[in-house]
Amino acid sequence: QSQSCYLFDVSAKKAVCITALSFVPGVHDGDFEILWASTRHESVHQSQKEWVTVGKGYHAGQKGSHHHVALQRHVTVPAGERHAFFIIGQTVNAVCFSTDTSTARVENEDLQIHLGHFKSYAWESQLSTGPFGHNGMQGFMGSLDYQVLQTRTVDSALATASELWSRRPFADAQVVSAEGKAFPVHRAVLAAASQVLESAWTTPLREKEERQIRIDSSSDCVESLLCFMYTGEESSDTDPGEMLRLAHLFGLPSLVLLSAHRLAQDVTTANAVSSVRALRAYREDPAVHPAWQMLLANIQSMLAGDSRLLEEVLLSV
């Protein structure tokens, strides 16, 4: 069966980070939005302010086939907590659910997915009470991609890396931006993060003699790049297109993935053309391809009725 909206809960046995969600559309194409709340869906299903958008886009394909969505904002569910997801379609029968509810949940060693409810309208007061499912509830037709979060040992290592970046004691080299700002760094840290930089300091080049490397980018982007190499943390304040270029240049696949998804997630009518140009060169990269598809879907939904934007995007390609 299908309806325009569907809600369900996830309980974590271990701390997990949910990165993607698959669901089964009940129509051939349409816009959708995925929301998340840090509590059970029954208590917040009619309160829009309690929900946060973690994914959105457009699906086009066979009705009844699984549609995979990389979440634009990853969701962390601490061990022992129960959080809610809300899939909202823009058309009737947008989301399929299962009426085979002989069990109240499905689970593995890491988490549980509970029975949920369908709704005809996103913020109506009534949850489904029938006729489909068990006690007015239905089963989720889809899957979750997730990672089990680190142990205390790893948390300690991350804290040490953060401290090393913030203080950088006993630095033995410098990285200089295009604007001339110098950042003290540790060669060992950058060499471990990037084979490109390791090669720069292990071959008889001028960089080795001076222990200085120049990167042709703004100081903000260079600082964000170095911070990622030390800590694995991405800054949301820098140009994602430039960060994608630097990530490719220095061989940082995790930063490639993060920057590409930020481009696709934050696309607007004002930056659609520049976002297409930034992602287009890397669209065949397996790490970038899902973001490229997300970008195209988001732009497609914005192009309706905007002939000027359509022309600009087509000219940019």
Side-chain angles (χ1 to χ4, degrees):
Q1 300 294 330
S2 58
Q3 192 50 268
S4 60
C5 308
Y6 180 76
L7 310 93
F8 67 98
D9 291 349
V10 175
S11 292
K13 301 177 184 179
K14 305 173 184 176
V16 297
C17 178
I18 298 172
T19 59
L21 181 152
S22 295
F23 70 96
V24 178
V27 292
H28 291 296
D29 53 33
D31 295 309
F32 66 89
E33 187 172 9
I34 299 172
L35 283 68
W36 157 79
S38 58
T39 187
R40 303 164 74 106
H41 72 268
E42 290 95 342
S43 62
V44 294
H45 69 93
Q46 60 180 343
S47 178
Q48 185 172 2
K49 66 179 182 180
E50 300 294 335
W51 296 86
V52 176
T53 298
V54 294
K56 60 181 178 180
Y58 179 87
H59 72 81
Q62 287 295 323
K63 180 175 72 172
S65 61
H66 281 258
H67 182 64
H68 185 264
V69 183
L71 298 185
Q72 299 160 4
R73 171 176 171 173
H74 294 174
V75 172
T76 298
V77 185
E81 292 193 11
R82 181 166 170 167
H83 290 193
F85 286 88
F86 196 173
I87 306 172
I88 301 176
Q90 301 303 314
T91 57
V92 176
N93 301 325
V95 185
C96 291
F97 53 84
S98 173
T99 59
D100 180 11
T101 55
S102 55
T103 59
R105 60 179 179 267
V106 293
E107 60 184 301
N108 60 17
E109 66 275 13
D110 302 321
L111 52 78
Q112 299 175 346
I113 300 177
H114 301 267
L115 295 180
H117 290 92
F118 69 79
K119 299 182 78 172
S120 300
Y121 303 98
W123 307 114
E124 65 176 331
S125 60
Q126 185 69 34
L127 285 170
S128 57
T129 57
F132 311 114
H134 173 68
N135 293 331
M137 303 184 76
Q138 303 80 38
F140 172 54
M141 294 182 63
S143 62
L144 301 176
D145 294 357
Y146 68 92
Q147 298 174 340
V148 177
L149 297 182
Q150 291 88 352
T151 63
R152 291 183 180 179
T153 302
V154 177
D155 289 339
S156 176
L158 292 174
T160 300
S162 180
E163 180 70 10
L164 183 62
W165 164 249
S166 62
R167 294 180 52 221
R168 276 167 281 168
F170 311 114
D172 60 358
Q174 286 187 332
V175 171
V176 182
S177 72
E179 299 159 352
K181 184 174 181 178
F183 298 91
V185 295
H186 303 88
R187 288 180 296 160
V189 173
L190 300 193
S194 167
Q195 291 183 353
V196 175
L197 291 176
E198 181 178 12
S199 297
W201 278 310
T202 54
T203 54
L205 299 175
R206 182 178 180 185
E207 285 86 349
K208 180 180 177 183
E209 298 169 2
E210 294 186 353
R211 293 191 176 183
Q212 183 180 94
I213 286 182
R214 296 181 179 275
I215 296 179
D216 185 19
S217 189
S218 69
S219 298
D220 288 344
C221 287
V222 171
E223 184 174 18
S224 180
L225 176 72
L226 296 175
C227 178
F228 184 85
M229 291 183 181
Y230 272 79
T231 68
E233 296 180 358
E234 181 202 25
S235 170
S236 60
D237 298 328
T238 51
D239 175 9
E242 176 64 4
M243 295 308 300
L244 177 62
R245 182 186 75 83
L246 292 175
H248 262 277
L249 179 63
F250 291 103
L252 303 172
S254 295
L255 185 58
V256 167
L257 180 64
L258 291 169
S259 300
H261 277 282
R262 191 151 61 96
L263 274 167
Q265 171 187 346
D266 297 340
V267 65
T268 64
T269 55
N271 64 21
V273 173
S274 61
S275 296
V276 169
R277 288 172 178 166
L279 270 181
R280 182 182 57 194
Y282 310 107
R283 64 186 183 276
E284 300 303 327
D285 184 331
V288 174
H289 186 69
W292 175 252
Q293 295 300 315
M294 183 193 302
L295 177 67
L296 294 182
N298 289 340
I299 289 179
Q300 184 177 6
S301 64
M302 290 189 297
L303 287 178
D306 194 335
S307 58
R308 179 195 60 79
L309 179 60
L310 174 60
E311 181 180 5
E312 289 184 11
V313 171
L314 290 175
L315 289 174
S316 74
V317 176

